[in-house]
Amino acid sequence: MAANGTGIGAAVPRKEDRRFLTGSGLYSDDILEPGTLSATVLRAPMPHADIVSIDAEAARAAPGVRLVLTAADLEGEIAGPIPSFSTVPPFDVGRLDGGDAAEASQYPLARERVRYLGEPVAFVVADTASQAQDAAELIAVDYAPLQSVMEIEDALDPSAAQIWPDAPGNISFDWATGDEAATDAAFANAAHVSRLRLDNNRVVINFMEPRAAVAGYNEGRLTLQAGCQSAHGMRTGLATVLGIDEDSLHVIVPDTGGGFGARGGVYPEFVLALVAARRLQKSVKWTASRGEAFLSDNQARDHIFDGELALDGEGRFLGLRVRGDWRHGAYLCSRGLWIMTHYVSQILGGTYRIPAGHLALCGIVSNTTPQAAYRGIGRLEANYILERLIDQAAHETGADPVTLRRRNLLDAEDLPWRMAGGAVITSGAFAANLDRAVELSDWHGAEARRAAAEAQGRLHGIGLAMYAENDGSTPTEFAEIAVGSDGRVTAFLGTQDFGMGHATMYSQILSERLGVPFADIDVVFGDSDKVRRGAGSHGSRSARMGGTAAVMGADKVIGRGREVAAALLEAAVGDIEFADGRFTIVGTDRSVTLFEVAADIERAGERLAEEADFNAEAEVISNGVHVCELTIDPTDGSVRHENYSIVADVGRIVNPTIVLGQMHGGVAQGIGQALLERIVYDRDSGQTLTGSLMDYCLPRADDLPAPNVAFNEIVEIDNPVGAKGAGESATTGAPAAVMNALANALIRAGAEPVDMPATPEKIWRALRAAGAA
């Protein structure tokens, strides 16, 4: 029983909010240590060129300059490039002929050649930021421009420049999964096949807080303070690049304004700041401008998918076939290759009874910014192609899209179900979710609303999308739970908060498990010295993985405490029960509190603290339904959201308010991709045409609906919290729902559907081409 109703399921206000709302947050750029130097990065002004020479002498002699680093200056300072892990198990994704994927690893500073606009070329450290910037402008770099390869079709052209020698034809890897023979047989026996080619547009992550880092060096030990998604993962990656023992590096993660997957890997600037701090034996600080972020933050998405869905004469799904080309940019960053292939493949087939499926994915090198994970990576892509195909099949066969889905949904008797891509669904109520979404959105009342919209001169569309998402990622997590005689519990967690409310969530879990007040629990994370180990936060894993580790640690504390309590109470251990923070002799009123037990242990010179590691066997599948209803002004192509409904199964919910916030934030990012966002490059010069918020359109409040959200909490039995995953699921489901609604409106108007982002101009042109504008 949770103390004061603050346990799992309680809508407790977030502990963190008062600190943030009163301006007491401490982000990387807020760190102001005395004597800290400032750094800036000189970046490549073109996407593809040989570096003939670099003359940095004028910069080194400039006022206030302490250090200028070029690639040549890093010799002996680093052990190698930032690892891509493309060929290291379990990241063993290669080529269909048995060869390895291209290495395509990036060095902190470009060596001999730059391969994307904004790639770091030099690093300048000075007394002030303005001095560093002025000095960077004095560095003379002689570039010999090379042909830039920007679009997928450019990269695959036989005459295109070859960006990497081990990526012939600019193909970094080609990979396939599923049962190709069974899939081919399913299509051969199909009564109907629906086909679509879809563009999954490239987007910028747009962290609320631009990246920053403060590096220090003291008595032979380095320290990095920077926003990231795993203090321990960052330490491992940086130690690998620097060629040092992990114990020689202390990573501290301050408050962080958004992660979304793209803060998970090692960035060049972090390495450079550490090298500079070690050389100068002083603190060095670097902060990106928003303009730099558009060039240098890892980007995401960017696929062309060709999908096919086979159906029998009664509308049952027989097979799914998908071919994808992924323009991942100039380098393969961190775990990006493995994450993309793992996530896009595992959930192939979704929550439907699709007996056969096959996916082929090809990596395309281009002179564009490298990519990393982004909220819903792989899951969004797989769900998008499948759900758009189902609506296409419904349109072509005259079926109702709800009925077609319901006919093919898995039910309880099918579970556990192995999807065509390999993930296993162990729990879910998919038909119930669909029925609830139909009810919540008043799907059957849409015709009346359509007539009303048309009477006002607007086009009306409604669409739905079901989604499945494999959650969990790295299948291990750590927690240490410590109880003090001062009446406080401290939880040391290996996950990482960057805006998700972890201090609140873990306090609720432990309040319930230990029966202590929610306010008396402290949560520590993001410090590689204070927390022994951890895998961080990514892949919607924290509540399930970190929460379970916390429960296991708490249970071990209770177990040890029971033994001490038995001695204090002069009773047998088997006669001691624990509840509401007290150890009691069964059938009596004789008891001691958890904190009294801790005090007795402390008197012996020890502490009541226990460590635990949760090692999961597999990922779990969160799922749900999105319904989007919108109208279009045919005079200008603008879209207005009329209604948006979500039914989500994220397992047992620890804090409904926090999860509701995740749904709202996730929908915003999914709608942003569907309707507004896209990185655009000039095909000839390779320059970014959407390099600022003047040109790249993020959704604002008036672009977004207020979603109606309902939860169907199907407890996941693989963990004591009962959680699945919530952080990414709304982003995963949103683009397909929005684009299905938009296609519904355009098709009814006689126009062809458009690709993401469905900007007003695209919609207006589609209507004009059909004579419907």
Side-chain angles (χ1 to χ4, degrees), residues 714-738:
I714 306 298
V715 173
E716 185 59 47
I717 63 173
D718 91 319
N719 67 93
V721 179
K724 294 178 182 174
E728 298 169 272
S729 62
T731 307
T732 295
V738 172

Short mmCIF file of all heavy atoms in Angstrom, two decimals, residues 714-738:
data_model
loop_
_atom_site.label_atom_id
_atom_site.label_comp_id
_atom_site.label_asym_id
_atom_site.label_seq_id
_atom_site.Cartn_x
_atom_site.Cartn_y
_atom_site.Cartn_z
N ILE A 714 -3.41 -2.99 -20.02
CA ILE A 714 -3.20 -4.44 -20.02
C ILE A 714 -1.84 -4.70 -19.39
O ILE A 714 -0.80 -4.40 -19.98
CB ILE A 714 -3.26 -5.02 -21.45
CG1 ILE A 714 -4.56 -4.59 -22.14
CG2 ILE A 714 -3.11 -6.53 -21.41
CD1 ILE A 714 -5.82 -5.09 -21.47
N VAL A 715 -1.85 -5.22 -18.17
CA VAL A 715 -0.62 -5.38 -17.40
C VAL A 715 0.32 -6.35 -18.09
O VAL A 715 -0.09 -7.44 -18.53
CB VAL A 715 -0.96 -5.87 -15.98
CG1 VAL A 715 0.31 -6.21 -15.21
CG2 VAL A 715 -1.77 -4.81 -15.24
N GLU A 716 1.58 -5.94 -18.19
CA GLU A 716 2.61 -6.82 -18.76
C GLU A 716 3.21 -7.65 -17.63
O GLU A 716 3.76 -7.10 -16.66
CB GLU A 716 3.69 -5.99 -19.45
CG GLU A 716 4.73 -6.82 -20.17
CD GLU A 716 4.15 -7.70 -21.26
OE1 GLU A 716 3.33 -7.20 -22.06
OE2 GLU A 716 4.51 -8.89 -21.31
N ILE A 717 3.10 -8.96 -17.75
CA ILE A 717 3.47 -9.83 -16.63
C ILE A 717 4.96 -10.08 -16.51
O ILE A 717 5.40 -10.71 -15.56
CB ILE A 717 2.72 -11.17 -16.72
CG1 ILE A 717 3.13 -11.92 -18.00
CG2 ILE A 717 1.22 -10.96 -16.66
CD1 ILE A 717 2.57 -13.34 -18.07
N ASP A 718 5.77 -9.57 -17.44
CA ASP A 718 7.20 -9.87 -17.35
C ASP A 718 7.90 -8.97 -16.33
O ASP A 718 9.09 -9.12 -16.10
CB ASP A 718 7.86 -9.74 -18.73
CG ASP A 718 8.40 -8.35 -19.02
OD1 ASP A 718 7.71 -7.36 -18.67
OD2 ASP A 718 9.49 -8.24 -19.60
N ASN A 719 7.17 -8.02 -15.72
CA ASN A 719 7.81 -7.14 -14.74
C ASN A 719 6.81 -6.78 -13.66
O ASN A 719 5.61 -6.68 -13.90
CB ASN A 719 8.36 -5.89 -15.43
CG ASN A 719 7.28 -4.97 -15.98
OD1 ASN A 719 6.83 -4.04 -15.32
ND2 ASN A 719 6.85 -5.23 -17.23
N PRO A 720 7.29 -6.61 -12.42
CA PRO A 720 6.38 -6.36 -11.30
C PRO A 720 5.66 -5.02 -11.36
O PRO A 720 4.63 -4.84 -10.71
CB PRO A 720 7.30 -6.44 -10.08
CG PRO A 720 8.66 -6.14 -10.60
CD PRO A 720 8.68 -6.72 -11.98
N VAL A 721 6.18 -4.07 -12.13
CA VAL A 721 5.48 -2.80 -12.30
C VAL A 721 4.28 -2.99 -13.22
O VAL A 721 3.28 -2.29 -13.10
CB VAL A 721 6.44 -1.72 -12.85
CG1 VAL A 721 5.74 -0.39 -13.07
CG2 VAL A 721 7.63 -1.53 -11.90
N GLY A 722 4.37 -3.94 -14.15
CA GLY A 722 3.31 -4.17 -15.12
C GLY A 722 3.37 -3.25 -16.31
O GLY A 722 2.44 -3.18 -17.12
N ALA A 723 4.49 -2.51 -16.46
CA ALA A 723 4.61 -1.49 -17.50
C ALA A 723 5.04 -2.07 -18.83
O ALA A 723 5.72 -3.09 -18.90
CB ALA A 723 5.61 -0.43 -17.06
N LYS A 724 4.66 -1.39 -19.89
CA LYS A 724 5.19 -1.64 -21.23
C LYS A 724 6.07 -0.44 -21.59
O LYS A 724 7.20 -0.34 -21.14
CB LYS A 724 4.04 -1.85 -22.22
CG LYS A 724 3.23 -3.12 -21.94
CD LYS A 724 2.06 -3.29 -22.88
CE LYS A 724 1.29 -4.56 -22.51
NZ LYS A 724 0.05 -4.73 -23.29
N GLY A 725 5.58 0.47 -22.39
CA GLY A 725 6.34 1.68 -22.72
C GLY A 725 5.39 2.74 -23.20
O GLY A 725 4.40 2.43 -23.87
N ALA A 726 5.69 4.01 -22.88
CA ALA A 726 4.77 5.09 -23.24
C ALA A 726 5.43 6.22 -24.01
O ALA A 726 4.76 6.91 -24.78
CB ALA A 726 4.13 5.66 -21.97
N GLY A 727 6.72 6.44 -23.82
CA GLY A 727 7.34 7.67 -24.29
C GLY A 727 7.26 7.92 -25.77
O GLY A 727 7.13 9.05 -26.21
N GLU A 728 7.34 6.87 -26.57
CA GLU A 728 7.40 7.05 -28.02
C GLU A 728 6.10 6.71 -28.74
O GLU A 728 5.94 7.00 -29.92
CB GLU A 728 8.53 6.18 -28.58
CG GLU A 728 9.89 6.57 -28.04
CD GLU A 728 10.96 5.54 -28.40
OE1 GLU A 728 11.13 4.59 -27.63
OE2 GLU A 728 11.61 5.72 -29.44
N SER A 729 5.17 6.08 -28.05
CA SER A 729 4.05 5.45 -28.75
C SER A 729 3.17 6.45 -29.48
O SER A 729 2.65 6.14 -30.56
CB SER A 729 3.22 4.62 -27.76
OG SER A 729 2.68 5.43 -26.75
N ALA A 730 2.95 7.64 -28.92
CA ALA A 730 2.08 8.59 -29.60
C ALA A 730 2.71 9.10 -30.89
O ALA A 730 2.01 9.33 -31.88
CB ALA A 730 1.75 9.76 -28.67
N THR A 731 4.02 9.27 -30.89
CA THR A 731 4.71 9.67 -32.13
C THR A 731 4.61 8.56 -33.17
O THR A 731 4.41 8.82 -34.36
CB THR A 731 6.19 9.98 -31.84
OG1 THR A 731 6.26 10.93 -30.79
CG2 THR A 731 6.87 10.55 -33.07
N THR A 732 4.72 7.31 -32.72
CA THR A 732 4.66 6.17 -33.63
C THR A 732 3.32 6.10 -34.36
O THR A 732 3.26 5.79 -35.55
CB THR A 732 4.89 4.87 -32.83
OG1 THR A 732 6.22 4.88 -32.32
CG2 THR A 732 4.69 3.63 -33.69
N GLY A 733 2.24 6.38 -33.67
CA GLY A 733 0.93 6.23 -34.29
C GLY A 733 0.43 7.41 -35.07
O GLY A 733 -0.44 7.27 -35.95
N ALA A 734 0.96 8.61 -34.80
CA ALA A 734 0.35 9.83 -35.33
C ALA A 734 0.48 10.01 -36.84
O ALA A 734 -0.52 10.34 -37.51
CB ALA A 734 0.92 11.04 -34.60
N PRO A 735 1.66 9.87 -37.47
CA PRO A 735 1.75 10.19 -38.89
C PRO A 735 0.80 9.39 -39.77
O PRO A 735 0.17 9.94 -40.68
CB PRO A 735 3.22 9.88 -39.22
CG PRO A 735 3.93 10.09 -37.93
CD PRO A 735 3.00 9.58 -36.89
N ALA A 736 0.65 8.09 -39.50
CA ALA A 736 -0.24 7.28 -40.33
C ALA A 736 -1.68 7.71 -40.17
O ALA A 736 -2.44 7.77 -41.15
CB ALA A 736 -0.08 5.80 -39.98
N ALA A 737 -2.10 8.03 -38.95
CA ALA A 737 -3.48 8.47 -38.74
C ALA A 737 -3.76 9.78 -39.46
O ALA A 737 -4.80 9.94 -40.12
CB ALA A 737 -3.76 8.61 -37.25
N VAL A 738 -2.84 10.73 -39.35
CA VAL A 738 -3.02 12.03 -40.01
C VAL A 738 -3.05 11.86 -41.52
O VAL A 738 -3.92 12.42 -42.22
CB VAL A 738 -1.90 12.99 -39.59
CG1 VAL A 738 -1.96 14.28 -40.41
CG2 VAL A 738 -2.01 13.31 -38.11
#
